[in-house]
Amino acid sequence: LSLGVPAGTWLGAAVGWRLAFWIMSGLTVLLIAWVLAKVPDFPGAAHHERLPFRHVLDMPGVRSVLGVVMAWMLAHNVLYTYIVPFVTPAGLAGQADRILLLFGVAALIGIWLTSRTVDHALRLSVLLSLAIFAVVAGAFAIGSASPAVIMIGVTVWGLTFGGAATLLQTALADAAGDGADVALSMNVVAWNSAIAGGGLLGGALLDTWGATSFPWAVMALVAIGFLIAGKARSHGFPPGHRLGS
C-alpha cells in the first residue's frame, strides 16, 4: 500500500503499463511459490468451533470499529484514487509518482510511530489520526492550488494513514475476543468495500463538482469516523492500555 502504488505508477510511466503488469504477474508467481515452500500449513478451526457471524457482529464495539473503518477508508480512497486530478490545479499532475512515493515513505514512518503507541494509547492514536487528517483536508480545501500545501499535506496525511490498519485491526480483534477471526474477515470486506466505494464516490464528485470537492467530502467522512470512535469509549476504542485488564 505504501510503496507499491508509487512504484507501479513510476514503472508504468517508465516501461508502459503492459510490461508493468507482466512484472507484477511474475512477482506474484514467485510469491505463490515462496508461500507453498516456506509458510507452514496450520489446520483451521472446525466448523462447530467457529462463532456465528451474527453473534460476532453483535458483540459490543465490533460495529463501532467497522463503522470507523468504512468512514476512514472511504475518506482516504476518495482522495487517493483520484490524486492526479486533485493535484493538477497545483501543477503537479506530472509528478504523481513522486507525490505517491512521498506519501508511502510517510506512511512507513506512520507504521513505526503506531508500533510505539498501539498498546498504551490506541484510542488516542485513532482520534489524533482522524483529527489531523481532517485538518489536512481543510488545508487542501483552502490551498489546493499551492504545491507547498499539497506536498506538506500529503506527507502529514501519509503519517496519519500508515498506522490505520494496525490500529483498526487491533481494536477489532480486542472487541471480538474469541470471535477475532470472524471479525477480521468482516474487516477485509469493509476495507475493500471502502476502496471500491471511494472510487465510486470520488468519480461521482469529480463529474459533478470537480476535484475541489474532494477535501470537503473527506472532512465530512472523517468527522463521522471521529464521532463513532469518540462514542465507542466503553467498547471498541476504550482509553488506557489495551492489555491493562
Side-chain angles (χ1 to χ4, degrees), residues 13-240:
V15 300
W17 69 268
R18 287 182 176 83
L19 183 55
F21 272 86
W22 276 113
I23 293 172
M24 289 163 55
S25 299
L27 292 173
T28 303
V29 171
L30 291 176
L31 178 60
I32 291 171
W34 179 82
V35 169
L36 291 173
K38 295 294 184 180
V39 177
D41 184 13
F42 289 106
H47 181 72
H48 67 275
E49 295 175 338
R50 300 174 194 161
L51 292 176
F53 173 89
R54 187 73 190 183
H55 176 76
V56 176
L57 188 61
D58 288 338
M59 286 180 170
V62 169
R63 293 188 185 188
S64 296
V65 178
L66 291 174
V68 175
V69 170
M70 288 297 298
W72 192 348
M73 292 310 113
L74 269 173
H76 167 76
N77 283 289
V78 164
L79 204 53
Y80 195 69
T81 305
Y82 295 96
I83 192 68
V84 172
F86 177 69
V87 302
T88 296
L92 298 173
Q95 300 184 44
D97 52 349
R98 296 179 183 178
I99 292 171
L100 291 172
L101 180 60
L102 179 64
F103 176 92
V105 171
L108 290 176
I109 297 172
I111 292 171
W112 177 80
L113 291 172
T114 299
S115 74
R116 315 297 294 178
T117 65
V118 62
D119 282 335
H120 67 269
L122 189 151
R123 175 182 175 82
L124 181 61
S125 298
V126 170
L127 293 176
L128 271 179
S129 295
L130 289 168
I132 295 171
F133 188 18
V135 171
V136 170
F140 283 160
I142 297 170
S144 61
S146 167
V149 169
I150 295 296
M151 290 297 191
I152 295 171
V154 165
T155 303
V156 179
W157 170 25
L159 287 171
T160 64
F161 176 77
T166 302
L167 293 169
L168 295 173
Q169 288 185 96
T170 302
L172 189 58
D174 287 348
D178 292 339
D181 287 351
V182 176
L184 292 176
S185 70
M186 298 178 193
N187 181 64
V188 173
V189 174
W191 196 285
N192 285 289
S193 297
I195 293 174
L200 290 171
L201 178 58
L205 291 171
L206 186 63
D207 284 343
T208 307
W209 291 293
T212 55
S213 64
F214 292 164
W216 302 102
V218 168
M219 281 190 284
L221 289 166
V222 170
I224 293 171
F226 187 91
L227 289 174
I228 295 172
K231 289 185 175 181
R233 186 178 181 86
S234 298
H235 301 283
F237 300 98

